[in-house]
Amino acid sequence: EDLPEYHGREEERIAYSVTTDDSVSQLYTLAAKPQPGTPLKILFTSDMQIKNMCAANIQKLYETVGSVDAIFFDGDIVDVADRAYDWFYADNALFRVFTGTAKDEIGGETYRGAPILQTTPMYTAIGNHDVMGVYDETTDLSVQFNYPSTREHAAKLWDRQGSGNRDDYIRDHSYNTITYEEMFELPSAGTDGEKYYALTFGDVRLVTLDASRVWRQPAMGSIGKYTEMPGGDEFSSVFGFGDFIFEPLSEGSAQIDFLKKEVAGTDYKDAKFRVAMLHNEAHSLGGNQIPAFTDPVAQTVTDPVSGQKMVVYTYPQDKDYINTVVEPILEKSGTELLFEAHSHLWNRFKTAGGMDVLETSNVGNSYGGFVGEKKDGVVVEGGTDGGARADTPSALKEGDPYAAIRDVFNADDYPLTGDPLGLEPIMPTEKALPGGRAFLASNTITAFSVLDTATGCMESYYFDTEDAGSRAVLFDRFTLGE
């Protein structure tokens, strides 16, 4: 609060260094939050998770556009939230990548990231990798991460056998974001503190929602998205409750009440650019777009393999909360951009109401992109991984051990290709992507996107790590609100 107002002039920045014991850092600068009218460049990124192209991605960003004024980071910041290795020590650890001290070798080339956090604030959303599961000191952190449970189930366990503080017990036996919340000092404008919030940064009003849920394997007949282990019930040693949502986004939830209040306020209405950031996709060609973002609907069937009773989960597409609740609120309030993540690819869309939708920052471990025409149920021209989402219930065919229960699932809720909600992807405007498709889903080519608030122009670049000496290529450009 004692800093001078910042309008983008260098003399308004304050020099500082950090002293630790006998060591003194280089001299860096910081500034107050920028005033409206300040020309800014903002990086839009997500899903780094210490993946293989993180350092290359940020290094090429820095080489291409220089230092940015802010980072909007749309979740999955690290791989396992409670693991210090992911934050500080891995070759592609978050704080090494964004301070230029990473050491990632790809094809004989070493990438360091870039010195960005020394001068630049980062605003984040919660992704599924930023949430830890059931706390258990006897198991590895990666195991704890992979086994969250619902608050409702933890409350039932408390009623059966709980001791100590009830709230702590329920948190420890379900899921938590303790490390995430302690790692960042974010605005607390939401009713749930830093999990969702809004802020003004220069000419941008950013509203950040918590749209995350557990990610489980799609395999049938095991704990996963679509089934539980045959013969089990919720008090079995392993029970998952499907891809359940962490923070409710349904009509009437505290988070939606916060969103409605935010978009009705003068800060939102008067902003030059209104941006919403949430982790799970609204529209996407990616593999993680299936199933719909809604509460799993449980029913019991007979497992065709074991003959035992088995819990099955369905996800009705017309109950998708992002599409049916969040998106209409944003469109009606004139939101120019919905920034999404989760499938580790680049693609973009425009809604019927004129809102741009962008998913960007692929740094590896992509879940593919799926486009193409279906003829007689077969994809005749498609995207990656054989052209279709092969791990959805609608892909079950005769001869598959679980084909006998495929009628439990409405095939229209699990489309094999395209955006499940029907939007057509927008082709890049400046240069064709490798393969000539409307998406980039690659483990060797990485992408980043930067918004210039002086013009409202969003530019996306890709860099091919197999061509180490090359520059980042501008492949897409659009202007918010047009």
Side-chain angles (χ1 to χ4, degrees), residues 31-149:
K33 196 163 58 173
Q35 296 295 305
T38 305
L40 305 169
K41 291 184 178 179
I42 301 175
L43 170 65
F44 285 65
T45 191
S46 69
D47 296 282
M48 289 207 165
Q49 300 177 232
I50 67 172
K51 297 305 179 185
N52 59 306
M53 295 187 289
C54 295
N57 181 284
I58 297 306
Q59 181 172 316
K60 287 299 175 178
L61 159 78
Y62 194 73
E63 292 174 3
T64 304
V65 303
S67 187
V68 292
D69 298 289
I71 304 160
F72 290 177
F73 202 129
D74 201 359
D76 282 9
I77 299 159
V78 294
D79 200 40
V80 177
D82 280 4
R83 194 166 58 192
Y85 174 83
D86 294 30
W87 296 93
F88 303 106
Y89 306 117
D91 289 341
N92 272 317
L94 178 83
F95 290 116
R96 295 185 67 186
V97 167
F98 279 97
T99 57
T101 59
K103 186 180 179 182
D104 187 37
E105 293 188 6
I106 303 176
E109 185 78 11
T110 299
Y111 298 95
R112 303 286 184 181
I116 294 177
L117 277 183
Q118 290 93 324
T119 60
T120 303
M122 176 185 288
Y123 299 103
T124 62
I126 291 179
N128 53 294
H129 278 266
D130 307 313
V131 182
M132 291 297 294
V134 176
Y135 179 69
D136 184 352
E137 291 184 343
T138 67
T139 63
D140 186 85
L141 289 172
S142 60
V143 174
Q144 294 178 49
F145 161 71
N146 276 303
Y147 286 96
S149 187

Side-chain angles (χ1 to χ4, degrees), residues 188-354:
S188 299
T191 55
D192 201 15
E194 298 171 344
K195 293 183 181 180
Y196 50 92
Y197 58 89
L199 65 93
T200 298
F201 195 84
D203 284 330
V204 177
R205 183 67 177 178
L206 173 70
V207 58
T208 299
L209 299 178
D210 179 359
S212 61
R213 61 180 174 182
V214 61
W215 187 94
R216 300 201 186 280
Q217 295 290 339
M220 298 281 184
S222 63
I223 178 174
K225 296 181 186 300
Y226 304 113
T227 66
E228 298 286 358
M229 293 290 290
D233 62 28
E234 68 171 298
F235 295 105
S236 304
S237 58
V238 180
F239 200 85
F241 302 94
D243 276 8
F244 68 87
I245 295 169
F246 293 124
E247 182 70 31
L249 265 179
S250 54
E251 186 65 53
S253 65
Q255 191 169 194
I256 292 301
D257 289 346
F258 156 75
L259 177 61
K260 289 180 176 179
K261 182 178 180 181
E262 163 60 24
V263 300
T266 55
D267 287 337
Y268 204 81
K269 288 181 176 180
D270 294 345
K272 183 177 180 181
F273 301 115
R274 289 153 291 213
V275 176
M277 179 167 69
L278 49 79
H279 183 70
N280 224 85
E281 297 111 325
H283 301 276
S284 179
L285 302 175
N288 273 347
Q289 179 68 346
I290 299 294
F293 192 82
T294 190
D295 297 315
V297 179
Q299 56 185 298
T300 302
V301 302
T302 299
D303 173 26
V305 175
S306 69
Q308 296 178 291
K309 296 296 182 182
M310 179 175 68
V311 175
V312 169
Y313 299 107
T314 59
Y315 304 80
Q317 196 67 247
D318 62 358
K319 304 295 185 183
D320 186 297
Y321 296 132
I322 298 175
N323 178 243
T324 62
V325 182
V326 176
E327 192 172 313
I329 295 172
L330 296 177
E331 283 193 318
K332 186 177 180 180
S333 63
T335 303
E336 283 84 12
L337 177 67
L338 174 54
F339 176 36
E340 59 181 20
H342 197 40
S343 277
H344 303 197
L345 49 62
W346 181 96
N347 56 193
R348 73 177 179 96
F349 304 82
K350 188 177 284 288
T351 68

Side-chain angles (χ1 to χ4, degrees), residues 285-287 345 347 366-371 382-385 387-389 437 439 441:
L285 302 175
L345 49 62
N347 56 193
S366 175
Y367 290 94
F370 305 94
V371 295
T384 57
D385 299 335
R389 298 180 177 98
R437 301 196 183 280
F439 65 89

Side-chain angles (χ1 to χ4, degrees), residues 43-45 56-62 64-65 346 360-362 446-450 459-463 472-473 475:
L43 170 65
F44 285 65
T45 191
N57 181 284
I58 297 306
Q59 181 172 316
K60 287 299 175 178
L61 159 78
Y62 194 73
T64 304
V65 303
W346 181 96
T360 185
S361 182
N362 168 57
T446 184
F448 57 86
S449 300
V450 178
E459 293 186 334
S460 293
Y461 299 79
Y462 74 77
F463 169 64
V473 177
F475 69 91

